[in-house]
Amino acid sequence: MSHPNLPITEVLVVADCWQSEPDAEAVIQRAVAAAAESVDEDVADAEVAVMLTDDAGIRTLNSNWRGMDKPTNVLSFPALQPEGEWKRGDAPRMLGDIAIAFETMRREADEEHKPFEHHLSHLAVHGFLHLIGYDHENDGDAEEMEALETEILAHLGIPDPYADRAGTH
């Protein structure tokens, strides 16, 4: 049975390196669904696009949008929301885009001795939460976001990703 609060999640694979992880799309779909079910935000009939890229692709995005000329693991680009209330029958409301870089994500998972699928789930949840307004610019916001990520991941059977890094984000 489908949950009424789930957004449409489109996964686009734009880098060949992701071919080594054929379950990546299913992992992302499951993670975004778990996040949507765990928040109060109304994301029903909304759409999220997740781009699976490589370090070169995410480095370009990071440089162009954040002025940081280096790869990163995940970037989120919340969509501007139209004015007025969304009504049934309108086009899907875009929540925004998430980009995840294969090499950086793989390296982090290996260094932290985490299964690839667990780290991918974490990054998908993290990116989704950014799309709906969560942030980690200050300690209080970071603690709130990390606690929610940990709760969502626990529903997926994934251990606390911050357990080994107490106090960091």
Side-chain angles (χ1 to χ4, degrees):
M1 183 173 158
S2 66
H3 188 279
N5 195 40
L6 296 183
I8 299 163
T9 303
E10 297 288 335
V11 178
L12 301 102
V13 179
V14 300
D16 290 340
C17 48
W18 283 94
Q19 300 308 317
S20 66
E21 297 295 335
D23 296 332
E25 181 174 351
V27 169
I28 289 167
Q29 294 281 355
R30 187 170 169 243
V32 170
E37 290 173 340
S38 298
V39 297
D40 291 331
E41 184 81 16
D42 180 14
V43 294
D45 298 311
E47 191 169 314
V48 175
V50 181
M51 180 176 70
L52 300 180
T53 189
D54 55 17
D55 277 5
I58 211 159
R59 179 180 183 167
T60 299
L61 291 171
N62 206 19
S63 178
N64 290 345
W65 292 97
R66 297 178 66 222
M68 299 178 162
D69 189 20
K70 62 181 182 176
T72 189
N73 54 12
V74 62
L75 291 172
S76 297
F77 301 95
L80 293 175
Q81 297 303 310
E83 292 187 25
E85 190 174 322
W86 182 88
K87 298 177 230 40
R88 292 232 175 259
D90 287 351
R93 177 172 53 103
M94 276 301 299
L95 293 180
D97 303 320
I98 300 168
I100 301 175
F102 183 85
E103 297 97 332
T104 297
M105 202 209 79
R106 166 62 76 192
R107 184 178 64 257
E108 290 172 347
D110 291 347
E111 288 172 356
E112 297 170 17
H113 308 289
K114 295 178 180 175
F116 183 87
E117 294 81 10
H118 288 188
H119 196 43
L120 179 57
S121 294
H122 180 202
L123 295 182
V125 167
H126 185 87
F128 177 81
L129 292 177
H130 275 307
L131 295 184
I132 61 170
Y134 286 86
D135 213 329
H136 46 82
E137 293 300 315
N138 63 55
D139 288 343
D141 290 345
E143 288 174 17
E144 179 184 6
M145 187 170 177
E146 289 174 7
L148 185 53
E149 288 172 6
T150 300
E151 176 187 320
I152 293 165
L153 293 170
H155 289 304
L156 293 169
I158 298 172
D160 179 354
Y162 299 106
D164 295 337
R165 299 183 285 157
T168 64
H169 38 83

